[in-house]
Amino acid sequence: MPDEHHPDHAPLELEHFLPYRLSILSNAVSQAIADDYQRRFDLSMTEWRVMAVLARFDGLSAREVAERTLMDKVAVSRALSKLVETGWVTRAIHDGDKRRSVLGLSEAGWAIHEVVAPMAREHERNLLSKLDDEERSWLVRILDKLQAIEPK
Amino acid sequence: MPDEHHPDHAPLELEHFLPYRLSILSNAVSQAIADDYQRRFDLSMTEWRVMAVLARFDGLSAREVAERTLMDKVAVSRALSKLVETGWVTRAIHDGDKRRSVLGLSEAGWAIHEVVAPMAREHERNLLSKLDDEERSWLVRILDKLQAIEPK
DNA sequence: ACGTTATAGTTACATATGAAACCATTTGCA
DNA sequence: TGCAAATGGTTTCATATGTAACTATAACGT
């Protein structure tokens, strides 16, 4: 909790500064997971996110993938070109709109997914195991509130 | 809360996956702050973190700055060379160990700090204002637990 | 003292990322 | 219809970042 006794311009104590703490925690967690599938499948985090979204929503366009993952379209485009090349994602052209692509996991892509999804879940479980039930439910509630549309 | 009814290999629902949520939240928060001081002072996040640490601990070496900020030494080295060049940080050589540098904020550096620190605090307050007291204290407690040394 | 090893910090290179320009196609509307 | 504006997606370029190699100095063990 920010200490009211420090004047506003006093040096920040990074280790108690919420944005900093979130950043450290988030990076540590994401990196641990990413290292895992990176090492085993040479799959980047953006690529995995694209695959995860296509596993749930088959036939999306690239723009829709970008929306769902909150990544920008350039990142998605790059991830897709690699994924299509390695054969884990299929890309067709939308009939009726030649600009749009129609994306989905290939058989091989599903096979990767079958391995990586449980891996990711395992990391999450591991993280949550540090909390008790009460803490877990507060965490979800707090995240929901904090994420209620960032008002700049 | 992860839903027990989904088998482990089912498609991840990113929007309920804790590591993903943390990453989105953390990026949004940090980016909002960074945009702010970036625009006004052409100061990157790593540079600001170096300055924040030097505001609290005068005379650190580069390695110590890296430890305190959890950034790697190359990032710190680069940040420092820019900060020294713009004149916001002073760098001397440790007497008795010519490898070590002795770092600190300059007058100009302090002036920047006086503006940026309150800005950062304001963003944090803004974020925390979405929570009530009870939620805030749970959040701190939860972060403490989650951050208790990542056991890989 | 002296060579080996460790440490502080920088440089070089390879890769990742983001913004803007770009191409193709489609939409909106005069 | 036909042409300006919008949209989907890729390419280009400039910048950021991480890893490994490197330089200089210091510490250690004999």
Side-chain angles (χ1 to χ4, degrees):
Chain A
M1 201 116 309
D3 183 5
E4 298 303 329
H5 302 298
H6 290 304
D8 224 43
H9 61 276
L12 283 180
E13 300 177 12
L14 282 185
E15 67 275 29
H16 296 131
F17 185 59
L18 180 58
Y20 177 77
R21 296 194 67 181
L22 281 177
S23 158
I24 297 300
L25 176 62
S26 160
N27 287 345
V29 171
S30 290
Q31 207 40 59
I33 307 179
D35 282 351
D36 216 341
Y37 52 70
Q38 206 128 28
R39 199 165 28 72
R40 296 179 55 180
F41 301 108
D42 187 30
L43 191 64
S44 75
M45 196 171 80
T46 60
E47 287 153 13
W48 165 246
R49 284 185 183 173
V50 168
M51 290 187 69
V53 140
L54 290 178
R56 259 183 90 200
F57 306 100
D58 188 68
L60 293 186
S61 71
R63 188 186 55 75
E64 291 167 326
V65 170
E67 268 172 19
R68 296 255 176 211
T69 54
L70 298 186
M71 310 192 309
D72 78 277
K73 63 181 189 164
V74 178
V76 169
S77 170
R78 284 196 266 245
L80 282 172
S81 71
K82 199 200 133 198
L83 290 170
V84 169
E85 181 159 356
T86 60
W88 295 342
V89 165
T90 60
R91 170 157 55 187
I93 291 174
H94 188 96
D95 19 311
D97 189 344
K98 293 177 196 150
R99 293 170 307 178
R100 238 174 240 174
S101 42
V102 179
L103 304 161
L105 293 187
S106 67
E107 276 305 310
W110 277 108
I112 301 291
H113 183 273
E114 293 270 307
V115 179
V116 176
M119 235 163 77
R121 284 206 163 85
E122 166 66 18
H123 277 281
E124 183 190 43
R125 254 196 306 275
N126 190 6
L127 184 64
L128 285 171
S129 72
K130 297 176 175 178
L131 304 179
D132 60 36
D133 285 345
E134 192 180 13
E135 289 160 344
R136 277 193 279 270
S137 76
W138 278 100
L139 175 55
V140 170
R141 169 177 175 165
I142 289 167
L143 283 176
D144 286 342
K145 280 185 135 187
L146 291 181
Q147 273 175 339
I149 297 143
E150 288 302 322
K152 170 62 200 102
Chain B
M1 201 117 311
D3 183 3
E4 297 304 329
H5 302 299
H6 289 305
D8 223 44
H9 61 277
L12 282 180
E13 300 178 10
L14 283 184
E15 67 273 30
H16 296 130
F17 186 57
L18 179 57
Y20 177 77
R21 297 195 67 181
L22 280 177
S23 159
I24 297 301
L25 176 63
S26 161
N27 287 344
V29 171
S30 289
Q31 207 39 60
I33 307 179
D35 282 352
D36 215 342
Y37 53 68
Q38 205 128 29
R39 198 164 29 72
R40 296 179 55 179
F41 300 109
D42 186 31
L43 191 63
S44 76
M45 196 171 81
T46 60
E47 285 153 13
W48 164 245
R49 283 184 183 172
V50 168
M51 290 187 69
V53 142
L54 290 177
R56 259 182 91 200
F57 306 100
D58 189 66
L60 293 186
S61 70
R63 186 186 56 77
E64 290 167 326
V65 169
E67 268 172 18
R68 296 257 176 209
T69 54
L70 298 186
M71 310 191 308
D72 78 276
K73 63 183 189 163
V74 178
V76 170
S77 171
R78 284 196 265 245
L80 281 172
S81 72
K82 199 200 134 197
L83 290 170
V84 169
E85 182 160 355
T86 60
W88 295 341
V89 165
T90 59
R91 170 157 55 186
I93 291 174
H94 189 94
D95 20 310
D97 189 344
K98 292 176 196 151
R99 292 170 306 178
R100 238 174 240 174
S101 43
V102 178
L103 303 160
L105 293 186
S106 66
E107 277 304 311
W110 277 107
I112 301 291
H113 182 274
E114 294 271 307
V115 178
V116 176
M119 236 163 77
R121 285 207 162 83
E122 166 65 18
H123 277 280
E124 182 191 42
R125 255 196 305 275
N126 191 6
L127 184 64
L128 286 172
S129 73
K130 297 176 176 179
L131 305 180
D132 60 35
D133 284 345
E134 193 180 12
E135 289 160 343
R136 276 194 279 271
S137 77
W138 278 102
L139 175 55
V140 170
R141 168 176 174 164
I142 289 168
L143 284 177
D144 285 342
K145 281 185 135 187
L146 291 181
Q147 273 175 339
I149 296 144
E150 288 305 322
K152 168 64 202 96

